[in-house]
């Protein structure tokens, strides 16, 4: 393949191994003497443990040992933690309940691990796990966030009276109340953002190996951020000293946020390996994934939006109850606060905003960041409300948005964020043109003639990406910095290795990162290898989440490339007897501008390593590293327009058209960006129409398999029309903004706005199942 730089739709390099079955995932890993783990899990949502009898299990064929939480605690293994400190509005710290990797006294959700069996085969381990007898004293359970706050609700943690984790405020409450006093119109809504199960293609897995000869631990795991996993497991969980712990995250089959966190299973596999003297591997089955992977969303919100007589927004009030499940996951406190309320201004110039968030414990799986992480929840609140307001005011939803768009940048919102650049009108116009909004009424009339109800809905989203800078997030309670690292190694023959702290689990980093090299030095991308996911190979990095690999991860690579280029030019200037400022690098050649004097790239690299003729005082080699910490978030934005047809007889919804017009700043590989948008749209439409996590009153997860949890399929989705506009971000050297989460952020409100337009009833919650749509439609009639 020829040289392909920035802006080229280069086919993904990594797909060769994936589509030929040569990917290497954790479950593919095997080490000599490896055994298998199966976890004994609670069948109850809330209970005390009165006894564990593992004698029968230990006597079964192939069983090496059955390990319990008491032994884990005795060995000093620490509780799982939340790494982002959020305080209540009265200044009191959040109430973090104890979360042991294996429950000892109390279980707080169905599926919580209470013991682990290690056996020769996976089947033997599972059979033995079923033979472990656990005696429980069942306690009352609570599953809904608002119910957990009621007087008399079951108490989950002694550390959190009334199940309240924090009662948090953002914005100026007095100014917002004053703005409402002068309002000509106020739109009020109750909004539910439904709980979701991430459902990455590859379930979680862990392989723990303790080497007694070296007193060293290795853990292969399905992680989006292996260095953070190593840090937390060593510094907080006391699994192993950091310098004696290696974390390897090989090929990972999707994450969507759910693989950011450290879970009990990888802790237990490492600990069990040392206890039993054998390597221990565990691979989740799909039901275990439903019962243990961190869920997403689950907000119940009351919102009010105030307008003046000219339809300008005066203020916004938001009160949200965020269900965080039975325990606080690693970033769970940040998701409904600093990743949610800070984006409640949307694309609009709103003078006054006040948000209150109450985070609560329930007897459900922990809730944390899931594709978009707070931004989808904020966008859904704002875009459902402004669309409803337009209908109440009798004005065009597009015109109401235009009237309130931010047009001057930088723009300081009332809720922390300072938007650095954007052109919201451009996205709206591009979306409306592609969707042929002017021709919609004719299409509605044609559908009516066929007995269908046609509706159009839009959503204008904005998100904060990059999840940096470190000083900013540190001041807001983050336990770690959110910079990124990179190292660029030029080998003696001129090939290049990029070592990055970012992790690729579907994003196409091996291709896009290589395109930076092609752009800078004119080398074929086949001459570039991207290395990530191994803490023994790559210097400390922060991983991949929050659409940060481009804006932050690639910026670190650019900084390292700057240093490599500068040294290469010094070497070439010395060899070619030219001024350093006259040296240019292009098409794999290092040349003196305006002359025919040149060296091939590999000749410069070889000279750097032979050291025979280097400038005085220069060290041999051609390898540079860099850390990059931006000064602001980036702010992708866009306009999504959805068209649906509803069958009034049964409430079935068909998405007949979906247009996405995004501003991602500079785009490195349009094909990969469009693929990211397509995937996000599928997840967002899935949330809007199909996906819903349901617990019964006893805390049993009744949607614990694909028989009951509806995932989107190709037949549920239309052909997407995707385009991009471009305003460069001034916050990083590439002008990038991030694209990985946008589709999941902007699409749910567009779909629900379209359905409610079709049926004439704004009171509709996600997922908009045929039954819900039919009931909403007939409530109007």
């Amino acid at each position: 393949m020829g040289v392909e730089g920035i802006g080229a739709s280069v086919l993904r390099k990594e797909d060769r191994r994936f589509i030929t079955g040569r990917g290497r995932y954790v479950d593919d890993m095997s080490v000599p003497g490896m055994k298998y783990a199966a976890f004994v899990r609670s069948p109850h949502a809330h209970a005390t443990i009165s006894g564990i009898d593992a004698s029968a299990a230990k006597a079964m064929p192939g069983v090496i040992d059955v390990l319990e939480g008491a032994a884990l605690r005795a060995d000093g293994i620490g509780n799982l933690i939340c790494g982002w400190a959020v305080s209540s509005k009265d200044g009191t710290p959040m109430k973090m309940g104890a979360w042991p990797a294996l429950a000892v006294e109390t279980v707080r959700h169905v599926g919580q691990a209470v013991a682990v069996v290690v056996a020769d085969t996976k089947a033997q381990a599972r059979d033995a796990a079923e033979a472990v007898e656990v005696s429980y004293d069942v306690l009352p359970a609570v599953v809904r966030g608002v119910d957990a706050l009621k007087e008399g609700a079951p108490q989950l943690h002694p550390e959190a009276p009334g199940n309240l984790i924090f009662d948090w405020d953002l914005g100026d409450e007095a100014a917002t109340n004053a703005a409402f006093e002068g309002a000509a119109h106020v739109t009020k809504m109750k909004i539910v953002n439904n709980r979701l199960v991430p459902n990455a293609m590859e379930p979680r897995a862990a392989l723990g190996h303790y080497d007694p000869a070296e007193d060293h631990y290795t853990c292969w795991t399905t992680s989006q951020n292996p260095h953070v996993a190593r840090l937390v497991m060593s510094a907080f969980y006391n699994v192993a000293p950091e310098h004696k712990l290696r974390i390897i995250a090989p090929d990972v089959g999707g994450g969507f946020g759910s693989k950011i966190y450290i879970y009990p299973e990888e802790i237990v596999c490492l600990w069990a390996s040392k206890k039993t003297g054998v390597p221990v591997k565990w691979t989740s089955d799909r039901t275990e994934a439903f019962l243990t992977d961190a869920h997403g969303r689950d907000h119940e919100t009351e919102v009010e939006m105030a307008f003046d007589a000219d339809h300008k927004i005066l203020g916004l009030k938001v009160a949200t109850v965020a269900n965080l499940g039975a325990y606080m996951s690693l970033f769970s406190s940040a998701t409904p606060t600093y990743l949610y309320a800070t984006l409640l201004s949307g694309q609009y110039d709103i003078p006054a905003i006040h948000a209150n968030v109450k985070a609560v414990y329930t007897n459900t799986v922990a809730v944390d960041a899931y594709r978009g992480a707070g931004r989808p929840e904020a966008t859904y609140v704002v875009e459902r409300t402004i669309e409803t307001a337009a209908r109440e005011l009798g004005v065009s939803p597009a015109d109401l948005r235009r009237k309130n768009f931010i047009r001057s940048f930088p723009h300081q919102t009332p809720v922390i964020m300072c938007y650095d650049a954007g052109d919201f009108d451009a996205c709206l116009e591009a979306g409306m043109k592609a969707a042929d909004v002017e021709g919609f009424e004719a299409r509605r009339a044609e559908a009516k003639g066929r007995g269908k109800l046609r509706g159009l809905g839009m959503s204008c989203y904005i998100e904060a990406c990059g999840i940096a800078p470190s000083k900013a997030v540190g001041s807001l309670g983050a336990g770690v910095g959110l910079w990124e690292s990179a190292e660029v190694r030029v080998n003696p023959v001129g090939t290049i290795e990029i070592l990055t702290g970012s992790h690729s689990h579907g994003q196409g980093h091996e291709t896009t990162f290589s395109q930076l090299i092609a752009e800078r030095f004119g080398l074929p991308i086949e001459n570039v290898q991207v290395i990530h996911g191994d803490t023994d190979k790559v210097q400390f990095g922060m991983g991949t989440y929050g659409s940060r690999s481009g804006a932050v991860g690639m910026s670190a690579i650019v900084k390292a490339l700057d240093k490599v280029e500068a040294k290469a030019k010094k070497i070439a200037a010395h060899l070619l007897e030219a001024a350093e400022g006259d040296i240019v690098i292009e098409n794999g050649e290092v040349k003196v501008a305006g002359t025919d004097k040149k060296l091939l790239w590999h000749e410069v690299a070889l000279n750097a390593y032979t050291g025979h003729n280097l400038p005085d005082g220069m060290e041999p080699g051609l390898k540079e590293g860099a850390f990059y910490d931006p000064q602001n978030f980036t702010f992708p934005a866009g306009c999504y327009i959805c068209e649906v047809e509803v069958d009034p007889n049964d409430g079935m919804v068909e998405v007949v058209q979906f247009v996405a017009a995004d501003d991602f700043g500079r785009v490195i590989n349009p094909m990969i960006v469009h693929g990211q948008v397509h995937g996000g749209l599928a997840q967002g439409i899935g949330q809007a129409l199909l996906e819903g996590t349901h617990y019964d009153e006893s805390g049993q997860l009744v949607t614990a398999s694909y028989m009951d949890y509806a995932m989107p399929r190709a037949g549920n989705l239309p052909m997407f029309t995707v385009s991009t506009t471009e305003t460069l971000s001034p916050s990083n050297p590439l002008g990038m903004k991030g694209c990985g989460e946008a589709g999941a952020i902007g699409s749910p409100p567009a779909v629900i706005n379209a359905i409610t337009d079709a049926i004439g009833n704004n009171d509709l919650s996600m997922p908009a199942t045929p039954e819900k749509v039919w009931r909403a439609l007939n409530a109007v009639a």
Side-chain angles (χ1 to χ4, degrees):
M1 186 181 293
V3 175
E4 300 284 359
I6 292 174
S9 290
V10 180
L11 295 179
R12 295 187 357 151
K13 295 168 59 178
E14 49 270 67
D15 285 349
R16 295 173 188 168
R17 69 177 184 274
F18 293 145
I19 64 176
T20 57
R22 293 184 173 89
R24 294 281 288 166
Y25 300 90
V26 173
D27 195 50
D28 295 317
M29 302 301 166
S30 181
V31 296
M34 185 179 76
K35 308 301 179 182
Y36 296 85
F39 286 85
V40 180
R41 300 190 182 278
S42 170
H44 305 292
H46 198 194
T48 56
I49 300 170
S50 55
I52 299 176
D53 183 357
S55 56
K58 289 182 178 181
M60 293 178 69
V63 173
I64 295 167
D65 207 348
V66 180
L67 302 172
E68 302 172 15
L72 183 131
R73 177 183 288 177
D75 284 348
I77 304 300
N79 293 325
L80 282 78
I81 64 164
C82 177
W84 197 303
V86 170
S87 296
S88 290
K89 58 187 178 182
D90 64 2
T92 57
M94 64 188 188
K95 307 299 191 295
M96 185 163 56
W99 184 6
L102 293 174
V104 181
E105 291 94 4
T106 306
V107 291
R108 294 180 174 88
H109 70 86
V110 172
Q112 184 170 359
V114 299
V116 64
V117 176
V118 179
D120 289 339
T121 69
K122 184 183 295 185
Q124 289 172 331
R126 289 187 172 185
D127 287 345
E130 293 182 1
V132 176
E133 295 185 5
V134 184
S135 299
Y136 297 97
D137 295 319
V138 179
L139 301 170
V142 61
V143 299
R144 187 180 170 196
V146 294
D147 292 339
L149 292 173
K150 292 178 180 177
E151 186 177 351
Q155 176 73 37
L156 269 72
H157 293 278
E159 299 89 346
N163 299 314
L164 182 65
I165 301 170
F166 53 76
D167 182 358
W168 178 87
D169 269 9
L170 184 65
D172 189 329
E173 185 175 15
T176 306
N177 288 337
F180 271 73
E181 290 177 3
H185 178 83
V186 175
T187 293
K188 299 181 180 181
M189 297 189 74
K190 292 184 178 180
I191 290 174
V192 175
N193 206 292
N194 44 323
R195 179 184 282 238
L196 303 174
V197 177
N199 280 311
M201 186 178 293
E202 178 201 19
R204 289 190 298 112
L207 168 55
H209 183 199
Y210 173 69
D211 179 358
E214 299 290 338
D215 188 28
H216 187 274
Y217 300 75
T218 302
C219 181
W220 289 263
T221 183
T222 46
S223 175
Q224 298 177 217
N225 48 353
H227 279 99
V228 174
R230 184 178 72 158
L231 170 65
V232 173
M233 281 199 277
S234 61
F236 297 99
Y237 303 158
N238 303 318
V239 176
E242 189 173 15
H243 66 293
K244 290 182 175 292
L245 175 59
R246 179 184 186 185
I247 303 294
I248 303 172
D251 289 329
V252 174
F256 312 119
S258 69
K259 293 174 182 172
I260 296 172
Y261 326 114
I262 296 90
Y263 289 90
E265 289 84 5
E266 48 258 47
I267 298 170
V268 171
C269 282
L270 278 169
W271 170 73
S273 178
K274 184 173 184 180
K275 294 289 283 187
T276 60
V278 296
V280 176
K281 181 162 81 171
W282 167 81
T283 302
S284 171
D285 62 30
R286 189 56 67 177
T287 294
E288 279 186 296
F290 275 94
L291 293 174
T292 63
D293 291 3
H295 291 177
R297 317 291 192 247
D298 205 342
H299 284 192
E300 295 191 50
T301 297
E302 295 184 2
V303 56
E304 299 180 43
M305 185 178 283
F307 295 84
D308 67 14
D310 292 326
H311 303 159
K312 290 283 288 182
I313 302 173
L314 296 173
L316 181 71
K317 295 180 182 179
V318 174
T320 295
V321 175
N323 184 347
L324 296 192
Y327 298 100
M328 294 192 74
S329 181
L330 191 63
F331 288 145
S332 60
S333 58
T335 302
T337 53
Y338 294 112
L339 299 179
Y340 164 66
T342 56
L343 274 301
L344 286 172
S345 191
Q347 297 186 7
Y348 311 113
D349 187 2
I350 304 178
I353 300 174
H354 178 255
N356 174 258
V357 177
K358 293 180 175 66
V360 300
Y361 288 118
T362 63
N363 295 111
T364 62
V365 177
V367 176
D368 210 319
Y370 168 64
R371 196 170 192 170
R375 284 74 54 87
E377 295 92 316
T379 297
Y380 192 72
V381 167
V382 173
E383 290 305 297
R384 284 287 288 124
T385 305
I386 198 166
E387 188 95 0
T388 301
R391 295 168 188 174
E392 292 175 352
L393 293 167
V395 300
S396 156
D399 288 344
L400 186 60
R401 288 176 168 88
R402 283 193 192 97
K403 181 175 283 288
N404 288 282
F405 274 160
I406 297 162
R407 293 186 173 86
S408 176
F409 297 92
H411 174 83
Q412 179 63 55
T413 74
V415 280
I416 296 179
M417 292 298 180
C418 181
Y419 301 164
D420 54 7
D423 187 343
F424 305 147
D425 288 284
C427 288
L428 177 63
E429 296 308 317
M432 292 182 67
K433 181 177 180 181
D436 184 24
V437 172
E438 289 186 1
F440 170 70
E441 290 302 330
R443 296 192 294 277
R444 191 202 291 267
E446 186 276 332
K448 184 176 181 180
R450 292 185 283 107
K452 298 293 180 70
L453 304 175
R454 198 165 180 119
L456 183 145
M458 68 172 52
S459 167
C460 292
Y461 77 91
I462 190 167
E463 56 166 328
C465 287
I467 311 304
S470 298
K471 285 184 179 179
V473 297
S475 69
L476 301 178
V480 293
L482 293 179
W483 41 263
E484 195 48 86
S485 69
E487 184 179 349
V488 176
R489 298 176 182 172
V490 181
N491 296 317
V493 295
T495 56
I496 294 179
E497 298 169 6
I498 298 175
L499 292 87
T500 174
S502 298
H503 187 276
S504 182
H505 38 275
Q507 292 87 351
H509 293 173
E510 293 177 37
T511 303
T512 53
F513 289 11
S514 298
Q515 287 180 256
L516 292 182
I517 305 297
E519 180 76 15
R520 182 67 70 101
F521 300 137
L523 301 175
I525 63 173
E526 285 81 4
N527 288 12
V528 183
Q529 182 181 12
V530 177
I531 301 167
H532 66 93
D534 188 335
T535 60
D536 271 15
K537 292 182 178 180
V538 180
Q539 66 187 2
F540 197 101
M542 299 311 300
T544 293
Y545 40 86
S547 302
R548 69 191 304 272
S549 294
V552 185
M554 294 179 83
S555 292
I557 296 171
V558 167
K559 286 190 68 177
L561 286 174
D562 290 342
K563 298 176 184 179
V564 168
E565 180 179 351
K567 186 171 183 179
K569 286 182 175 180
K570 282 183 168 63
I571 295 171
H574 177 73
L575 295 173
L576 295 171
E577 299 180 339
E580 186 180 329
D582 292 334
I583 301 296
V584 294
I585 304 175
E586 57 188 20
N587 299 323
E589 297 176 338
V590 187
K591 304 185 287 189
V592 180
T595 74
D596 59 359
K597 296 171 67 177
K598 65 182 181 181
L599 294 167
L600 297 178
W601 173 257
H602 73 267
E603 292 176 312
V604 176
L606 184 61
N607 190 272
Y609 284 94
T610 62
H612 294 163
N613 188 11
L614 293 176
D616 291 342
M618 177 178 284
E619 295 180 353
L622 195 51
K623 179 187 77 170
E624 299 289 348
F627 289 77
Y628 181 74
D629 195 356
Q631 298 304 305
N632 196 3
F633 299 86
T634 61
F635 298 96
C639 175
Y640 289 178
I641 300 177
C642 176
E643 242 175 271
V644 301
E645 284 190 357
V646 178
D647 188 332
N649 296 310
D650 57 14
M652 287 294 294
V653 175
E654 179 186 0
V655 180
V656 294
Q657 177 177 266
F658 202 103
V659 169
D662 296 287
D663 179 0
F664 296 136
R666 177 165 286 123
V667 172
I668 305 298
N669 185 313
M671 181 196 70
I672 288 177
V673 167
H674 289 174
Q676 287 286 311
V677 174
H678 284 204
L681 293 178
Q683 285 179 280
I685 293 171
Q687 176 178 9
L689 294 180
L690 299 162
E691 297 184 53
T693 308
H694 297 285
Y695 288 87
D696 68 16
E697 291 183 357
S698 70
Q700 292 293 328
L701 180 60
V702 297
T703 51
S705 76
Y706 291 141
M707 294 294 290
D708 302 293
Y709 188 95
M711 294 286 286
R713 302 185 180 192
N716 302 118
L717 307 171
M719 295 297 291
F720 300 125
T721 302
V722 178
S723 66
T724 57
T725 59
E726 182 181 289
T727 57
L728 299 182
S729 170
S731 301
N732 63 79
L734 288 166
M736 300 178 68
K737 295 185 178 181
C739 68
E741 298 164 291
I745 292 170
S747 54
V751 174
I752 300 300
N753 285 340
I755 298 172
T756 54
D757 178 56
I759 66 176
N761 184 351
N762 284 319
D763 187 13
L764 181 67
S765 64
M766 299 187 291
T769 60
E771 180 186 359
K772 282 186 182 179
V773 174
W774 184 88
R775 289 183 180 278
L777 178 61
N778 283 276
V780 173

